[in-house]
Amino acid sequence: MATDGIVDQSAVLQAFDGSPGIQVVVRASDLRVVAANRRARDLLLRDSLVDVRLQDLREPGIQTIVTALSEVVRTGVRFHEDTVPVVPDWSDPTSGVWLDLEVTPWLDESGALAGAIAAGIDVTARVRAANLERSGAATADERLARAREVVLRLQGALLPSTVPLLPRVDVAASYLVAGLEQAAGGDWFDSATLPDGRVSLTVGDVVGHGVEASAIMSQLRAVLAARLLEGAGILDALDAVEAFAGRVSGAFAATVCVALLDPHSGDLEYATRGHPAPLVVGPDGAQILPTTGDGPLGSRTEGRVSTARLRDGDAIVLFTDGLVENLHRPLRDGIAVLERTAIDAYHGSSPALRGIESVASRICQHVPAVLTDGGFTDDVTVLAAHRRTPPEALHLTVPAEPGRLAEVRGEIDVWGRGVGLGTRDRAALVLGVSEVVANAIEHAYRDGDVGPVKVAATIRDDAIVEVVVRDHGRWREPDVDPGDRGRGFSMMASAGLQVGVETAADGTTVTLECPARRPAPVDQADVVVGGAAREKAPLAVTTDPAGARVVRVGGAVDHRAAAAQVQAEILRLSRNGLVPVTIDLRDVVHLGSAGVRVLESLLQTIDRLQVIAPAGTPAAQTLEVAGTPFVSSEV
């Protein structure tokens, strides 16, 4: 025991050795440990640490402590970290602990740096509890995200997936969901071409959120669309919706705006039932049209219809109140911001906007992005229709040579993008035109002469894209037993194309039709970087230099000669079907029916033939349409 004025060194050493946490003292002159308590020795799995040099403590799991001591000795600057992992036995991760570690300079009586002192408190229990809490929160977040994804899919299924495109009217739409806890909402939009040639534009809002609101809005949308497609006027169609809403719980006080636009004259009829009136934006500015003064569904107000006229170049914008109403912004200010933002989008006031050719698409992308930048508490729907100059029809004449197929596909793709077609519809159109032109190249001119093939593409007033392919050769009657041929027409049908064939003494005319539509509700700039260069890539058939039996195909397999080249190389490598071979199509830019026909023939000939086409590649898309078996990656 200690007496007055005398330090009991034995007691001090015992107290130090039994102190909580770890204590390690290092001398500056030679970086040797001069003191270490029992917990430090136990943690570092050493019977003794005294006189051990820091550089001899080599275990990977304790290097944070070693480095911290060395740095404090070198710099004289305190180190502190509240969660330091220490794993003395790297082969047994469970041996590790978490320390709240502090390393301070050790100064002698003169204030000179004598070394460093490390003190660490075991916080393993606290860290594990926090990790468990975070893990539980992450699991909950994942469940919420999955639930939201399911509801968003439901929302997408209840809304139209596309909007129509006409020569004089370009339509686009966007839909934004308010928040995680409100993943399904009551907003809706719709657009269609009517029997009298006009375009219907409707936007509505059911009170509330959730699956029930989504179900009600889908029913109201369906009733309204059905009556308009039957040729009913606005008031008759709204009467049908009113009658239906009176029998459906939850439809009371739903709001709606309906507009009918004549693409050629610009004449507009519209009615608002408790809903914001449309915005008209054009070269000279923007203004909100007057409401028709009628209340929401169930208010039993007398229905009225107002009229206006859109000039050439004007756009009309229908929207739900979530776009302009905000807790942090009065409604009048929201309308003013909407008008300014719509003008910016109309004129393409930024480089990003100028990169989007479609005025309607610019409005539907830019306006919601700006007005919801500070957050929003209600769903946001925007539907825009722009009276545009009709896109020029495509007229193309090429000689009936296989080498011109890439040019034809490129021209069709560029034209389709210009009129506003979505990626999937453009791909189907490119596939169909390539098949028809390839057929003309192969069969129309069989006497050695190379005649012309003419391609004309246009968009019609009934929202249909029509492509006519003509040649001046002789028609060849199909074989009674076509064998493995004739796949091109079935592929076109599977892609959603309507095909018509007319034969005459002076040649054959094939007409392809597909809906003219833009994907909705979220429309994005549809830019393909380097697409033209890839489309013109020549056919390349190579084998693995390492000796593996893999045939890699690149470029376009778009006619019989190209397909025959692929077939010959595969048969050579497989020894005419005796040994297994893998065909890698990831670099193919276009796979026509001739290529599909060869692949299916080879699949029947070679027992262990694997066709690889990564998901999303042109080859994979064609094989999916044709129903040809393939794998998306090597297995």
Side-chain angles (χ1 to χ4, degrees):
M1 299 293 293
T3 59
D4 291 344
I6 301 176
V7 176
D8 187 339
Q9 293 185 354
S10 175
V12 171
L13 291 175
Q14 287 180 4
F16 172 78
D17 198 48
S19 60
I22 71 162
Q23 308 284 337
V24 179
V25 184
V26 172
R27 187 168 52 217
S29 59
D30 55 5
L31 292 181
R32 289 182 181 271
V33 177
V34 296
N37 69 346
R38 183 171 60 251
R39 288 183 180 270
R41 298 193 302 272
D42 291 344
L43 176 61
L44 301 182
L45 304 179
R46 300 266 182 157
D47 293 333
S48 175
L49 280 171
V50 174
D51 209 33
V52 174
R53 297 182 305 171
L54 285 183
Q55 55 263 43
D56 292 332
L57 298 174
R58 302 178 182 276
E59 291 83 356
I62 66 173
Q63 290 308 302
T64 301
I65 298 176
V66 173
T67 301
L69 284 164
S70 300
E71 284 299 299
V72 172
V73 169
R74 185 179 68 84
T75 64
V77 178
R78 170 182 172 272
F79 168 90
H80 177 254
E81 181 64 49
D82 59 1
T83 51
V84 173
V86 180
V87 187
D89 185 357
W90 204 248
S91 64
D92 180 16
T94 61
S95 67
V97 299
W98 292 88
L99 296 179
D100 184 331
L101 180 66
E102 181 177 15
V103 182
T104 57
W106 168 27
L107 305 179
D108 62 16
E109 294 179 354
S110 66
L113 184 67
I117 303 171
I121 300 174
D122 190 339
V123 292
T124 304
R126 187 187 74 193
V127 171
R128 287 177 177 171
N131 287 341
L132 185 62
E133 182 178 351
R134 282 195 296 269
S135 175
T139 301
D141 287 344
E142 290 173 0
R143 290 175 179 171
L144 182 59
R146 286 196 296 268
R148 182 173 186 257
E149 182 181 358
V150 169
V151 178
L152 284 175
R153 288 182 178 179
L154 170 65
Q155 191 83 358
L158 297 176
L159 291 168
S161 60
T162 60
V163 289
L165 297 170
L166 285 82
R168 293 301 309 271
V169 178
D170 180 28
V171 184
S174 65
Y175 183 96
L176 297 178
V177 176
L180 282 172
E181 72 284 355
Q182 299 172 341
D187 283 16
W188 89 80
F189 67 90
D190 205 353
S191 180
T193 53
L194 303 181
D196 61 4
R198 291 187 292 178
V199 180
S200 67
L201 304 163
T202 62
V203 165
D205 188 3
V206 171
V207 177
H209 293 275
V211 175
E212 181 181 0
S214 293
I216 293 171
M217 74 86 176
S218 70
Q219 296 175 72
L220 296 178
R221 182 181 74 84
V223 172
L224 182 58
R227 289 295 292 132
L228 291 174
L229 288 171
E230 290 170 354
I234 290 179
L235 293 182
D236 287 342
L238 285 174
D239 284 345
V241 175
E242 181 82 58
F244 183 82
R247 300 192 299 271
V248 177
S249 175
F252 178 78
T255 68
V256 63
C257 176
V258 184
L260 304 183
L261 174 64
D262 187 317
H264 295 282
S265 67
D267 290 339
L268 179 75
E269 294 183 1
Y270 70 95
T272 58
R273 298 296 303 270
H275 201 90
L279 171 77
V280 174
V281 58
D284 301 328
Q287 65 172 355
I288 295 287
L289 295 176
T291 67
T292 57
D294 300 316
L297 299 181
S299 61
R300 300 183 182 277
T301 54
E302 180 182 354
R304 284 164 289 186
V305 173
S306 292
T307 61
R309 173 167 290 183
L310 268 61
R311 300 168 299 174
D312 287 345
D314 282 350
I316 182 173
V317 184
L318 282 68
F319 55 93
T320 52
D321 55 6
L323 180 68
V324 291
E325 290 185 351
N326 191 297
L327 293 176
H328 311 291
R329 181 177 58 214
L331 176 60
R332 183 172 298 177
D333 291 350
I335 294 293
V337 175
L338 168 62
E339 292 176 345
R340 292 196 303 269
T341 307
I343 292 172
D344 289 342
Y346 182 92
H347 291 288
S349 57
S350 69
L353 289 173
R354 286 193 291 272
I356 305 173
E357 295 183 7
S358 164
V359 170
S361 294
R362 289 205 298 263
I363 291 172
C364 287
Q365 291 184 43
H366 184 61
V367 168
V370 172
L371 271 80
T372 61
D373 185 52
F376 56 106
T377 57
D378 196 6
D379 295 351
V380 172
T381 299
V382 179
L383 177 65
H386 173 228
R387 286 196 71 220
R388 62 180 176 180
T389 301
E392 292 187 5
L394 173 67
H395 295 284
L396 181 66
T397 301
V398 297
E401 298 173 346
R404 305 304 291 269
L405 282 171
E407 176 186 347
V408 173
R409 288 195 297 271
E411 292 286 348
I412 288 291
D413 185 67
V414 170
W415 180 84
R417 189 181 301 120
V419 302
L421 291 181
T423 302
R424 184 177 295 275
D425 288 331
R426 281 206 324 275
L429 196 63
V430 168
L431 171 66
V433 173
S434 182
E435 288 297 316
V436 174
V437 174
N439 192 65
I441 290 172
E442 182 177 351
H443 299 299
Y445 304 102
R446 287 172 288 167
D447 298 329
D449 296 333
V450 177
V453 178
K454 298 180 179 180
V455 180
T458 187
I459 180 172
R460 302 192 320 224
D461 285 336
D462 56 352
I464 294 293
V465 167
E466 179 182 88
V467 181
V468 178
V469 180
R470 291 187 176 92
D471 65 61
H472 297 289
R474 289 183 298 167
W475 170 253
R476 173 183 171 181
E477 291 293 338
D479 296 332
V480 176
D481 181 11
D484 62 352
R485 302 182 62 80
R487 184 171 298 278
F489 280 90
S490 64
M491 288 170 56
M492 287 185 275
S494 298
L497 300 176
Q498 299 292 323
V499 185
V501 180
E502 295 182 7
T503 62
D506 61 346
T508 302
T509 300
V510 178
T511 302
L512 302 178
E513 294 180 353
C514 74
R517 56 195 179 187
R518 169 177 281 120
V522 179
D523 180 61
Q524 296 180 340
D526 198 4
V527 178
V528 179
V529 179
R534 290 197 304 271
E535 181 65 21
K536 295 179 181 178
L539 175 68
V541 183
T542 59
T543 55
D544 194 317
R549 296 190 179 276
V550 178
V551 176
R552 291 186 170 85
V553 183
V557 187
D558 52 3
H559 56 90
R560 290 184 66 188
Q565 184 178 341
V566 174
Q567 183 180 36
E569 184 60 24
I570 294 170
L571 290 175
R572 182 193 67 79
L573 196 63
S574 68
R575 298 179 184 176
N576 286 324
L578 296 178
V579 296
V581 170
T582 296
I583 309 172
D584 189 338
L585 303 178
R586 70 187 67 222
D587 294 326
V588 170
V589 299
H590 181 83
L591 182 63
S593 62
V596 173
R597 187 164 59 246
V598 162
L599 289 176
E600 295 218 345
S601 174
L602 291 169
L603 285 167
Q604 295 176 6
T605 304
I606 304 173
D607 289 338
R608 288 178 291 172
L609 176 65
Q610 184 182 63
V611 179
I612 296 176
T617 59
Q621 295 175 20
T622 299
L623 294 174
E624 287 173 355
V625 169
T628 303
F630 71 99
V631 295
S632 58
S633 61
E634 295 187 52
V635 295

